[in-house]
Amino acid sequence: MLQGILIIVVFLVIAALMMTKKIPTLLALPLMAVIICIIAGVPAVGTDAEGNAIGWLQTVVENGTVRMGSAIMAVIFGAWLGQLMNKTGVTENIIKKSAELGGDRPLVVTLIMVVAVAILFTTLSGLGSIIMVGSIVLPILVSVGVPAISAACIFLMAFTTGLTFNIANWKSFSSIFGLEIEQIKSFEIYLLIATLIATLVLVFVEFKKNGVKFAFSAPVSDVPETRQLKGVAGTLAMLTPLVPILLVALLKVPVVPAFVAGIIWVLVFTSKSFSKAMNLLVKTCYDGITDAGPAVILMIGIGILYLAVTHSMVKEVLNPFLLAVIPSRR
């Protein structure tokens, strides 16, 4: 019982240190895993009677680094596709075309921007993509008269709506919780509906409360020229975010091959020559790995912590504590 209480205390202390930014998450998760193992009496190195490794250096730290390997690959390939969409102008064209559909009607423009951002973030990931899309969408919203604070809140909600159908996230959840993609998809459909409704409620409440304040109009002279995607090829290129989603959701294609299909798709419909396509492919691969870096490090930490709390010796320590605090029928 005492060991279980100590583990809970360690969890709360390190969680508090993370929240107050005293310890970075990439250090806190492995540190928590190691301390939990030590409290539970797990040896650093050792084997059981059958010769299987039970030491935390082997079963937790080493195995934990690759515990979420498939999810890490999904994040990297998703970030690669996102970089390709950014560099080829697909992302900007989707946003600009959406804005043109709304004309000078602020509410319509806002609703179209919500849909465009949500669709984009079913594929995009990483802080760089958030900053890039935000730097395009927010000036558009402000320029049609949406108050700056309202525009920021609406963008964040639209971004969150899209994340519910981000298949790289699905793969991460699958690895963490040991679920099939189909199970995650069925849950995410309800989450998508709930988040979309909340986003639409926010839009209409903000417009009813604040109205449209054209004094906030943003200058657009400094906005760089968007690379125009025209014709059938341009239209097909702008369908890129839907390619991996449809492959995974409808045809049951594995996540990484679905992202590879999206990468090939966007290159085919945006590249002028084979050599330029190959150069862009290599550059965006490096940029995508950089973009995915923080998420990859976090997943390594999650994998280590997951194996720590599911270690047989740790579970033996925690079970009496959990039985004592969890309500049950008698």
Side-chain angles (χ1 to χ4, degrees):
M1 178 70 76
L2 177 61
Q3 288 171 301
I5 294 173
L6 285 175
I7 288 174
I8 299 299
V9 170
V10 166
F11 172 81
L12 294 174
V13 169
I14 295 182
L17 290 173
M18 279 194 296
M19 293 174 64
T20 55
K21 300 183 179 179
K22 302 293 184 184
I23 300 180
T25 305
L26 62 91
L27 173 62
L29 295 181
L31 178 64
M32 189 188 301
V34 171
I35 294 175
I36 286 173
C37 288
I38 292 172
I39 292 173
V42 181
V45 179
T47 57
D48 59 16
E50 298 176 356
N52 299 316
I54 59 170
W56 56 261
L57 283 175
Q58 303 145 295
T59 60
V60 173
V61 176
E62 184 175 4
N63 293 347
T65 58
V66 294
R67 172 63 179 77
M68 298 185 65
S70 58
I72 288 171
M73 288 301 103
V75 169
I76 290 174
F77 276 84
W80 187 0
L81 176 57
Q83 281 294 328
L84 268 171
M85 288 174 57
N86 294 344
K87 293 291 191 291
T88 55
V90 170
T91 301
E92 290 185 55
N93 273 268
I94 290 174
I95 295 169
K96 294 291 176 68
K97 293 291 184 185
S98 300
E100 290 172 8
L101 287 175
D104 58 354
R105 293 164 292 179
L107 180 58
V108 175
V109 171
T110 302
L111 293 174
I112 293 175
M113 287 294 101
V114 166
V115 174
V117 170
I119 291 174
L120 284 170
F121 280 100
T122 58
T123 304
L124 297 180
S125 61
L127 181 60
S129 295
I130 296 171
I131 293 171
M132 190 215 64
V133 174
S135 67
I136 300 169
V137 170
L138 293 175
I140 290 174
L141 292 178
V142 174
S143 67
V144 297
V146 179
I149 294 178
S150 300
C153 294
I154 290 166
F155 170 74
L156 290 175
M157 288 295 291
F159 151 71
T160 306
T161 301
L163 281 187
T164 60
F165 249 61
N166 188 301
I167 57 175
N169 284 353
W170 290 6
K171 193 65 178 178
S172 300
F173 299 149
S174 174
S175 296
I176 293 171
F177 301 112
L179 300 172
E180 297 296 327
I181 291 292
E182 277 298 308
Q183 293 174 290
I184 294 170
K185 184 184 80 173
S186 62
F187 168 77
E188 294 287 2
I189 289 173
Y190 293 109
L191 185 59
L192 172 68
I193 294 170
T195 312
L196 180 59
I197 291 173
T199 305
L200 294 177
V201 168
L202 173 67
V203 170
F204 287 112
V205 167
E206 287 297 309
F207 266 77
K208 185 170 182 59
K209 183 173 72 173
N210 297 315
V212 177
K213 305 184 185 304
F214 288 98
F216 282 85
S217 293
V220 294
S221 57
D222 296 332
V223 176
E225 186 69 23
T226 303
R227 175 184 169 183
Q228 294 296 318
L229 299 176
K230 299 178 180 178
V232 176
T235 302
L236 291 173
M238 285 188 282
L239 296 177
T240 299
L242 300 178
V243 172
I245 296 173
L246 294 176
L247 289 176
V248 172
L250 300 182
L251 301 180
K252 309 299 186 290
V253 175
V255 173
V256 171
F259 278 130
V260 172
I263 289 168
I264 295 171
W265 178 280
V266 71
L267 282 175
V268 166
F269 293 112
T270 58
S271 299
K272 302 295 184 182
S273 68
F274 180 79
S275 61
K276 288 183 178 179
M278 292 304 99
N279 289 336
L280 184 61
L281 188 70
V282 173
K283 185 180 186 311
T284 52
C285 177
Y286 296 153
D287 291 341
I289 292 173
T290 302
D291 236 7
V296 168
I297 295 297
L298 181 62
M299 287 183 181
I300 290 173
I302 291 172
I304 293 172
L305 182 59
Y306 175 82
L307 290 185
V309 298
T310 56
H311 192 285
S312 58
M313 294 179 68
V314 175
K315 287 199 287 187
E316 284 180 18
V317 168
L318 286 175
N319 281 341
F321 175 80
L322 293 175
L323 289 173
V325 299
I326 294 176
S328 61
R329 280 187 191 173
R330 296 190 180 276

